[in-house]
Amino acid sequence: MNKPLCIVAGVGPGNGLAFCKKFVKEGYKVAIVARSLKRMEEYAEDSEDIFPYACDLSNPDSIEATFSSIIDNLGVPQVLIYNAGSGLFSAPLETSLQDFEGAWKINALGLLCVCKLIAPSMIENGGGNILITGATASLRGGAKFAAFSSAKAAQRNLAQSLARSLGNQGIHVSLIIIDGIVDIPRTREMFPDLPDNLYMKPDAIAETYYSLTQQSDSAWTFEVDLRPRHESW
């Protein structure tokens, strides 16, 4: 039996890896996409259903080459998770134009490029799911979040446009707002005094992502907020 395909664009040791493991567990083959091929090859050692691809998700040419290769090699995905998102954190007057543009490229431009390559094939196959990782910054701009919040807000508006445009063609687009600190070694080092109950567990986050792909089209969710119960909001 041919396994359905999930693509996870933007894979690191936290949410991206958790998404990969969850969908493999549910019977998918998973293409994982990130800049570092070496790290992804390490992730792929644990399963014959994980396929690593190197890609710069801020570069349209790199995106076209990589995602065309994925479709040629593995077929059309039933699920696309766009988990790429980065940006340096600084106040507006301290933010370089290069950093501002770079955050927009990976959060918004990259998302559009990937969807333009993947969505037509999904439509031909009868539909699919596109899941997009947002952040608290998708909804408001902090004093030192000039580049990141602008980029995530652009991504959220693009996600709404994608949902309205693609929904009637069978593609369920969802934006997941991650409102909290994800539990990975780097954040533990950054916030050593933070109580454990304020960390978000990647495996729990992955459960929500998978559940969105199982919804009836009579009651699709577009936007969902995820946060630990002790998080202020």
Side-chain angles (χ1 to χ4, degrees):
M1 176 175 157
N2 191 28
K3 295 182 177 180
L5 173 63
C6 171
I7 301 176
V8 182
V11 176
N15 292 340
L17 182 57
F19 302 150
C20 177
K21 291 179 177 178
K22 175 61 179 175
F23 278 84
V24 166
K25 180 181 176 181
E26 297 296 339
Y28 284 72
K29 57 188 177 186
V30 179
I32 54 176
V33 179
R35 277 196 178 97
S36 173
L37 188 60
K38 181 179 179 181
R39 175 189 287 175
M40 290 189 296
E41 287 174 340
E42 293 174 358
Y43 297 157
E45 290 175 356
D46 295 332
S47 173
E48 63 181 12
D49 290 320
I50 300 175
F51 302 87
Y53 287 83
C55 181
D56 179 355
L57 289 165
S58 67
N59 184 308
D61 291 336
S62 181
I63 290 170
E64 182 173 5
T66 299
F67 284 81
S68 296
S69 179
I70 292 173
I71 292 176
D72 289 343
N73 295 334
L74 300 175
V76 177
Q78 281 70 32
V79 178
L80 166 66
I81 301 176
Y82 195 83
N83 189 54
S86 66
L88 299 178
F89 302 101
S90 57
L93 301 186
E94 298 166 359
T95 300
S96 73
L97 300 184
Q98 182 179 5
D99 288 341
F100 190 88
E101 182 180 39
W104 171 79
K105 280 183 174 180
I106 196 166
N107 285 284
L109 180 65
L111 172 61
L112 180 60
C113 289
V114 172
C115 288
K116 284 172 68 69
L117 287 166
I118 295 298
S121 297
M122 276 187 173
I123 293 168
E124 287 182 7
N125 273 14
N129 294 269
I130 297 175
L131 309 175
I132 302 159
T133 299
T136 310
S138 304
L139 304 175
R140 62 178 184 266
K144 294 188 176 182
F145 282 67
F148 187 63
S149 62
S150 299
K152 295 307 277 188
Q155 183 188 70
R156 180 176 183 245
N157 284 343
L158 174 57
Q160 289 181 345
S161 182
L162 288 167
R164 291 187 168 105
S165 173
L166 300 177
N168 286 337
Q169 300 180 79
I171 298 180
H172 179 194
V173 179
S174 299
L175 179 74
I176 301 89
I177 303 293
I178 305 297
D179 184 16
I181 298 173
V182 178
D183 192 358
I184 57 176
R186 180 169 60 88
T187 56
R188 288 281 182 173
E189 291 177 4
M190 292 172 61
F191 307 102
D193 299 324
L194 193 71
D196 186 68
N197 58 23
L198 284 177
Y199 282 100
M200 301 180 71
K201 307 301 181 184
D203 288 345
I205 295 170
E207 290 289 338
T208 295
Y209 277 65
Y210 178 73
S211 71
L212 288 168
T213 69
Q214 303 305 299
Q215 290 184 329
S216 164
D217 62 6
S218 68
W220 274 350
T221 295
F222 167 66
E223 186 169 285
V224 58
D225 289 16
L226 294 181
R227 64 178 63 88
R229 68 187 179 95
H230 294 283
E231 181 79 15
S232 298
W233 61 287

